[in-house]
Each structure stands twice: as structure tokens, then as C-alpha cells.
């Protein structure tokens, strides 16, 4: 009997994992005992044959289409508008920090904030599909409890009453951590991941689990881009980015080993921070490649990201101890000198689409007009092999974690994560030692390159979000995952109807100054 897939999954991925074939509007499965037809007629939203991008559920031997693949429109004509209206998705009506201020002032309630998010989920989730599970009852109980605490005069946390989404490779006690892998559908977490406990400790309301690609790999997800559902939301933190970008929550947590925080946030029009490697505790998070895994926040703007990062980091974590308000207070500290930015060209300029390069040229002019110094800085020679080195290191780490599971049941893995593991099985221990040596060399080279500036700057992606057959190219993000340097990204323009984002790179464990620089750039992006 074919196993159930309660979590929505793309039809093409479902067929690969189960051996199903679709013919004549029905489904059939091939098993060793022979050919067995699946009960029930497939329900479609359109009178046409099924296509690979359809999103399906499979329960009690019945296949149901829950979201038909929309037709892909002609590409929008690129129009570059680096104005204040582009800094936040049109579906987001209020930022996290604005909402927190309203809550502290008593002008709204935690229940009202939550219901606004749930209402947006009801409106957008059927087409965006950002969530694996939504804990409506638990979130409502928590919001009511927080309102009672405020009425009673109890101290309020930094994130008091703020609805947050959690990527589904991160444990939430009592909920399954599926990690996009159907055989784990009953994998109930026995405890919260450290990041979840810290968010709760600051008063956050956990809404539920957001979609991840399988094991945080590169196979396209069921999630769609909230700006245009014919486009990818990116990956692997697909659901977290789409949920924030569509206003379904005010912040979300993702992870990155290649480009899985920065890239999806960029495609979905959200700000994000991939902090320094080791800055955020990853206990309770399914690894992809432990020497490059990072956890970090997404939110509507840089100040929101700073608030989330503040909640995730404690003095006990790696790096210099951070005061309890370091990241947030840094945004309000006066600049003691004009901002000095080093623009990375070369590889980034060559691979970026024309729309991205033109938008960044205009933004650089605006930053200079506002008083910043923007200079070109060369890429170090270690950059020549950094993408290949990153790919080999990530594959080696993935193979180390999944080896036994993969060798026992390779057919349960989707094509791209399967290919990554197969490549990793060819990486020897000697190879890993050499790759880690090159990783440290690249980190030191990049630190030297940005020593005389406040931060380096380059496109967050090659261009706007591509179509749904891919999660996008992580090439612009992989160097920072490989070297562990911190990155803040934010929207600064649009290409047609889709957002464009820039990423700002800083020195290890200097997130406070990086956030301050990024916030200044965000404020002054308009020409």
C-alpha cells in the first residue's frame, strides 16, 4: 500500500517517491504484487490533465489535487523603482517593530495581532502554500495568555505578542519535524529547539511550521512566491520567506547552508540576516552540513530582523558576549563617520542580470548622494574556487548525516538531495580536511578585503525570482555560508512586479555594526 502524504507535495515529486503514474484523470500505483488502481476520481480545479507542478495530497489511497499549477505569464517588463514603496511587500501593512510598539502602548492586543495574521493566512495560504502546519488553537491560547500578562503588569518581552513562523527542520515540542521528508511525517519533537525556546522567552507567539525543501536541499517546494505564484519563493527556507512576504506572520526563522535564508527572503521581498557561523545555537535543528549550517531571522525590514536576532542570541553563544539590547540599540546609535561601503564587482557583476546591475548602480548613486563613500573592492584569489569548494563541503556534510538512511532507502530521496548525497559519498576524509583549510583561507582573505570599510555589498541574487521549476541560484550566497561571515539583506528595488534585494557583508560577530550600516542603506535607498 502506498504511504499517505498528508503534507501537500508537488505531483512530480510524489510520483518519483511512490512509483505512481497518472493516466486519464485517475492515478495508479505499481507495486510488487501487481497493478492496483487508487480509489476515487482526482479532483482538479480545471478541466485538463494533471501536470508536474500540481500540488497533491494522498490519504486513504485517494489522490486529491489541492492546488493546480497556474499558467506562467509572459515575463514582466523590467522597471526599476528604488523608492520607499519597494522596501516592503505590498501584502505587509505593518512591520514587526511597529506592531511591538503598538502592543507596548496598549493600542492593540496580542489576540488582535494574531487574528490579523490568521486572516491573511486564510486569504493567501491556498495559493502560496507556505505552511506545513498551523497551530491556531495553541497560538490563540498563547496570545490570550500574553494579553492577560500585560493587563496584570507583568514584564513584556522584546517580541511580546508577535506571531512567528518556524522552518520545518526546527523542533517544536509536540509537533512533527518532517523536514520535507514524508517518512518522517510522524517524527514528533520531544522538546523545543533552542531558538524556539528563546523566541518564547521573549513573548513570541509560535504560529506553526513553515515549508522546507526536502532536508533543506534544492528540490523545488510546493510553496509559491507571494508576489507572483508562477515564480519560485526560493529555498530551502521557502515557507518562512513566503509567509513573511505575504504578511501571514511578522517574522520567521530559517536556516542557511548555501543560500537558504538570504535567497528566499530576497525573492519574497523580506529582509533577513544570516549571522556569523556559530552565533545562533542550532540545537534541535536538522543539519544539512554542520560546518556551514546557520540559523537566522526574516522579517519585513532591517529593524525587525535586529529584534529577532536579539531574541535568538545570548552571551553564552559563540563570539563576544552581546549586551541584551546590542543589535536593536545599534540602529539608533549616531554614526561617527560617513558610511564606507565596498562594492564587490567581478564575479557578482558578471553573473547578475541587467535589471539587478542597473538597480544597484542607481542605489549606489543614492547612497553617495546621502553621504556614503562607495568604492570598488577586488575579490581575493581564493574566490576562484569558492563555489566548487562550497559544493563539495556541503555534499560531504550531507552524506555524513544521511549515509545510513540514504543507503537503506535511496528511493525516498528527491533527485537533487539524492544527487548531493551521492556526490558527498565520493568526498574522502582527506578531501574534507583540505576543504576546511581552504574554507579558513577564504575567510581570512575576505576579512582582509573588507578591513578598511564598514561593510561589503553585492546583489543578494542574480535577479528577480525565476520560475517554479527551481529554487534559484545560490551562487551569490554560498561564499558567505562557506566563510561564515555575517550578511544582512533587504529589498531596495523591483524588476517589473518582483522585488530585488541587496546583501551587506560584515566581519565575524560584528552583527551590531552590520545591522546599523544596513539600516542606514535601507533608509537611503530611494533616489
Amino acid at each position: 500500500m502506498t504511504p499517505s502524504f498528508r503534507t501537500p507535495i508537488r505531483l512530480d515529486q510524489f510520483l518519483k517517491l511512490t512509483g505512481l503514474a497518472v493516466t486519464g484523470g485517475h492515478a495508479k500505483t505499481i507495486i510488487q504484487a501487481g497493478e492496483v488502481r487508487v480509489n476515487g476520481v482526482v479532483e482538479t480545479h480545471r478541466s485538463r490533465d494533471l501536470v508536474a507542478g500540481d500540488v497533491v495530497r494522498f490519504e486513504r489511497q485517494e489522490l486529491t489535487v489541492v492546488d493546480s499549477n497556474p499558467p506562467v505569464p509572459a515575463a514582466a517588463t523590467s522597471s526599476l523603482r528604488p523608492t520607499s514603496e519597494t522596501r516592503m511587500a505590498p501584502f505587509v501593512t505593518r512591520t514587526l517593530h511597529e506592531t511591538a510598539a503598538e502592543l507596548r502602548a496598549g493600542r492593540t492586543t496580542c489576540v488582535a495581532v494574531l487574528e490579523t495574521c490568521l486572516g491573511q493566512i486564510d486569504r493567501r495560504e491556498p495559493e502560496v502554500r507556505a505552511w506545513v502546519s498551523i497551530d491556531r488553537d495553541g497560538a490563540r491560547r498563547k496570545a490570550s495568555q500574553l494579553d492577560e500578562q500585560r493587563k496584570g503588569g507583568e514584564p513584556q518581552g522584546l517580541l511580546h505578542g508577535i506571531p512567528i513562523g518556524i522552518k520545518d527542520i526546527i523542533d517544536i515540542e509536540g509537533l512533527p519535524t518532517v523536514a520535507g521528508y514524508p517518512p518522517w511525517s510522524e517524527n514528533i519533537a520531544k522538546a523545543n529547539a533552542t531558538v524556539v525556546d528563546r523566541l518564547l522567552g521573549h513573548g513570541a507567539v509560535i504560529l506553526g511550521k513553515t515549508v522546507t525543501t526536502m532536508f533543506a536541499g534544492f528540490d523545488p517546494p510546493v510553496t509559491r512566491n507571494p508576489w507572483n505564484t508562477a515564480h519560485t519563493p526560493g529555498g530551502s527556507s521557502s515557507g518562512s520567506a513566503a509567509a513573511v512576504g505575504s504578511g501571514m506572520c511578522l517574522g520567521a526563522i530559517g536556516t542557511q547552508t548555501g543560500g537558504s535564508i538570504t535567497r528566499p527572503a530576497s525573492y519574497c521581498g523580506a529582509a533577513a540576516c544570516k549571522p556569523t557561523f556559530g552565533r545562533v545555537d542550532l540545537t534541535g535543528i536538522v543539519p544539512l552540513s554542520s560546518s556551514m549550517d546557520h540559523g537566522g531571522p526574516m522579517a519585513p525590514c532591517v529593524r525587525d530582523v535586529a529584534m529577532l536576532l536579539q531574541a535568538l542570541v545570548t552571551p553564552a553563544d559563540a563570539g563576544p558576549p552581546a549586551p541584551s539590547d546590542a543589535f536593536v540599540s545599534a540602529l539608533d546609535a549616531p554614526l561617527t563617520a560617513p558610511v564606507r561601503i565596498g562594492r564587490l564587482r567581478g564575479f557578482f557583476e558578471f553573473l547578475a542580470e541587467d535589471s539587478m546591475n542597473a538597480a544597484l548602480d542607481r542605489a549606489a548613486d543614492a547612497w553617495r548622494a546621502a553621504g556614503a563613500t562607495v568604492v570598488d573592492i577586488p575579490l581575493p584569489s581564493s574566490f576562484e574556487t569558492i563555489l566548487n569548494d562550497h559544493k563539495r563541503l556541503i555534499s560531504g556534510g550531507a552524506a555524513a548525516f544521511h549515509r545510513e538512511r540514504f543507503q537503506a532507502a535511496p528511493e525516498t530521496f528527491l533527485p537533487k538531495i539524492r544527487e548531493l548525497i551521492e556526490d558527498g559519498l565520493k568526498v574522502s576524509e582527506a578531501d574534507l580536511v583540505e576543504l576546511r583549510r581552504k574554507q579558513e583561507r577564504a575567510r581570512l582573505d575576505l576579512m582582509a578585503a573588507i578591513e578598511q570599510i564598514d561593510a561589503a555589498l553585492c546583489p543578494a541574487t542574480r535577479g528577480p525570482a525565476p520560475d517554479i521549476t527551481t529554487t534559484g541560484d545560490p551562487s551569490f550566497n554560498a561564499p558567505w555560508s562557506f566563510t561564515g561571515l555575517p550578511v544582512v539583506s533587504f529589498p531596495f528595488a523591483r524588476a517589473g512586479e518582483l522585488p530585488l534585494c541587496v546583501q551587506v557583508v560584515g566581519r565575524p560577530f560584528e552583527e551590531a555594526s552590520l545591522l546599523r550600516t544596513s539600516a542606514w542603506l535601507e533608509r537611503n535607498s530611494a533616489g
Side-chain angles (χ1 to χ4, degrees):
M1 180 179 292
T2 305
S4 292
F5 286 74
R6 297 183 183 89
T7 301
I9 184 171
R10 280 170 55 104
L11 178 64
D12 53 347
Q13 297 175 355
F14 171 74
L15 299 179
K16 287 186 176 74
L17 290 172
T18 61
L20 282 171
V22 174
T23 58
H26 288 70
K28 63 180 182 178
T29 181
I30 309 301
I31 59 175
Q32 289 183 344
E35 183 174 291
V36 178
R37 293 192 72 81
V38 177
N39 298 325
V41 177
V42 174
E43 300 173 2
T44 62
H45 295 310
R46 300 183 178 90
S47 56
R48 58 153 179 74
D49 293 336
L50 294 174
V51 297
D54 286 338
V55 179
V56 300
R57 280 195 182 93
F58 186 75
E59 294 185 85
R60 295 181 296 277
Q61 296 297 288
E62 182 169 308
L63 183 71
T64 302
V65 175
V66 296
D67 185 18
S68 291
N69 187 35
V72 179
T77 302
S78 176
S79 64
L80 306 176
R81 302 189 299 275
T83 66
S84 58
E85 72 178 28
T86 68
R87 296 179 191 164
M88 204 162 63
F91 326 105
V92 180
T93 58
R94 190 162 295 275
T95 62
L96 185 158
H97 71 271
E98 289 170 339
T99 304
E102 296 265 321
L103 285 164
R104 284 193 299 272
R107 291 191 289 269
T108 189
T109 66
C110 301
V111 169
V113 171
L114 173 63
E115 292 301 329
T116 297
C117 289
L118 291 176
Q120 189 67 349
I121 288 172
D122 291 339
R123 285 186 289 274
R124 297 303 312 277
E125 176 62 6
E127 61 175 347
V128 175
R129 310 216 65 84
W131 299 89
V132 174
S133 61
I134 302 166
D135 185 12
R136 292 173 184 263
D137 292 342
R140 283 175 169 139
R141 285 194 300 271
K142 180 67 173 179
S144 295
Q145 177 189 1
L146 290 168
D147 279 335
E148 290 302 314
Q149 289 176 1
R150 185 178 60 81
K151 291 176 185 177
E154 296 183 37
Q156 298 179 46
L158 181 65
L159 302 175
H160 188 93
I162 299 298
I164 302 294
I166 304 295
K167 183 179 182 178
D168 189 29
I169 64 169
I170 302 172
D171 286 346
I172 299 176
E173 183 178 4
L175 296 180
T177 300
V178 182
Y181 184 60
W184 280 11
S185 60
E186 304 300 327
N187 179 34
I188 307 299
K190 296 179 174 61
N192 288 329
T194 298
V195 295
V196 173
D197 275 337
R198 289 181 179 174
L199 292 169
L200 290 171
H202 282 271
V205 175
I206 304 301
L207 262 176
K209 306 294 284 290
T210 56
V211 170
T212 176
T213 61
M214 182 179 283
F215 289 126
F218 302 102
D219 295 279
V222 300
T223 306
R224 305 294 173 84
N225 192 303
W227 294 67
N228 183 326
T229 55
H231 293 261
T232 182
S236 61
S237 304
S238 315
S240 290
V244 172
S246 58
M248 294 192 239
C249 58
L250 292 174
I253 305 303
T255 63
Q256 176 165 317
T257 313
S260 297
I261 293 173
T262 306
R263 188 169 81 264
S266 299
Y267 288 158
C268 294
C273 176
K274 182 210 74 68
T276 307
F277 177 74
R279 174 62 102 175
V280 171
D281 191 314
L282 302 184
T283 303
I285 300 179
V286 179
L288 176 56
S289 186
S290 59
S291 63
M292 295 186 293
D293 290 342
H294 302 69
M298 305 176 187
C301 68
V302 172
R303 181 173 291 271
D304 297 347
V305 166
M307 291 178 66
L308 286 168
L309 186 63
Q310 191 68 66
L312 297 178
V313 173
T314 74
D317 295 327
S324 61
D325 65 344
F327 303 138
V328 177
S329 61
L331 303 187
D332 299 317
L335 294 172
T336 57
V339 172
R340 297 165 300 165
I341 296 298
R343 183 172 174 182
L344 299 168
R345 290 188 183 267
F347 156 82
F348 294 101
E349 189 171 42
F350 178 75
L351 289 181
E353 296 175 17
D354 290 345
S355 61
M356 177 64 82
N357 282 328
L360 199 50
D361 286 343
R362 291 186 57 177
D365 289 342
W367 294 324
R368 289 189 184 97
T373 299
V374 183
V375 298
D376 293 346
I377 57 174
L379 295 172
S381 59
S382 53
F383 234 80
E384 294 174 4
T385 63
I386 202 167
L387 295 182
N388 184 62
D389 294 339
H390 169 268
K391 183 178 180 181
R392 295 185 69 210
L393 188 57
I394 195 175
S395 66
F401 178 70
H402 290 291
R403 184 184 303 270
E404 292 184 9
R405 182 168 33 257
F406 180 75
Q407 291 175 338
E411 72 281 359
T412 63
F413 289 73
L414 290 171
K416 290 187 181 296
I417 187 68
R418 182 188 306 167
E419 180 183 1
L420 186 72
I421 295 169
E422 288 172 341
D423 288 345
L425 293 172
K426 302 169 189 174
V427 178
S428 67
E429 284 298 321
D431 292 333
L432 290 174
V433 170
E434 175 62 13
L435 286 167
R436 290 179 185 125
R437 185 195 66 78
K438 296 177 77 172
Q439 184 183 30
E440 178 62 11
R441 179 72 266 161
R443 186 181 71 86
L444 294 173
D445 286 348
L446 283 167
M447 287 174 60
I450 63 177
E451 185 176 3
Q452 301 301 319
I453 56 176
D454 293 315
L457 182 143
C458 60
T461 59
R462 294 178 64 171
D467 66 37
I468 59 173
T469 63
T470 176
T471 62
D473 186 347
S475 296
F476 286 7
N477 320 119
W480 323 121
S481 298
F482 187 68
T483 58
L485 299 186
V487 173
V488 172
S489 59
F490 59 88
F492 76 110
R494 291 185 196 170
E497 63 186 338
L498 297 173
L500 297 174
C501 287
V502 66
Q503 58 184 344
V504 190
V505 184
R507 287 175 280 275
F509 301 107
E510 294 187 13
E511 283 87 357
S513 62
L514 177 62
L515 286 160
R516 180 174 57 193
T517 298
S518 299
W520 186 93
L521 294 169
E522 182 186 46
R523 286 194 304 272
N524 291 283
S525 292

